[in-house]
Amino acid sequence: MVDNDCLFCKIVAKEVPATIVHETERTLAFRDINPQAPTHVLVIPKEHYRDAAALAAADDGLADEVIMAAHRIAEAEEVAAEGYRLVFNTGPAAGQTVFHVHGHLIGGRGLNWPPG
């Protein structure tokens, strides 16, 4: 499934440039263009799903792959041992602005609680 108007689908298709840090057969990860921490990487499925709820409903193991990819990146970025945050904004009220599910892998600095 691809949405031809979706920015992240265009990144997957290599039509829009991005700084890719990790890629598997079904996932892609790239640096956020507006980083909120020293490590801020977006981890997405290559297939288009609108949000985390749609990805969860697919029930084909892809959500697991996205999270595993995020952890591998956290290890490579050397933030896994100290800790990192993985955030999926779902819907406009939660701050989702690109409607292709994506996890924000954030680390490399102290992360306050509660977020937002």
Side-chain angles (χ1 to χ4, degrees):
M1 210 167 34
V2 173
D3 179 340
N4 292 326
D5 294 325
C6 171
L7 173 63
F8 290 174
C9 286
K10 290 177 181 180
I11 290 173
V12 169
K14 310 292 195 276
E15 296 170 3
V16 171
T19 304
I20 296 171
V21 298
H22 184 81
E23 185 170 7
T24 68
E25 184 179 323
R26 299 199 317 158
T27 67
L28 185 72
F30 49 93
R31 300 224 180 264
D32 193 295
I33 61 169
N34 184 25
Q36 301 301 304
T39 296
H40 190 165
V41 175
L42 302 180
V43 186
I44 68 170
K46 289 181 175 179
E47 197 170 338
H48 184 88
Y49 293 93
R50 178 178 171 80
D51 54 30
L55 179 61
D59 194 29
D60 66 352
L62 185 54
D64 296 342
E65 289 184 43
V66 170
I67 293 170
M68 285 187 292
H71 182 67
R72 287 187 188 117
I73 297 159
E75 290 177 322
E77 297 278 321
E78 299 182 350
V79 298
E82 192 164 319
Y84 60 91
R85 187 170 288 160
L86 187 57
V87 177
F88 290 85
N89 298 324
T90 299
Q96 185 177 9
T97 58
V98 177
F99 291 90
H100 181 127
V101 64
H102 54 287
H104 293 260
L105 168 61
I106 302 167
R109 68 168 174 82
L111 300 169
N112 297 325
W113 195 261

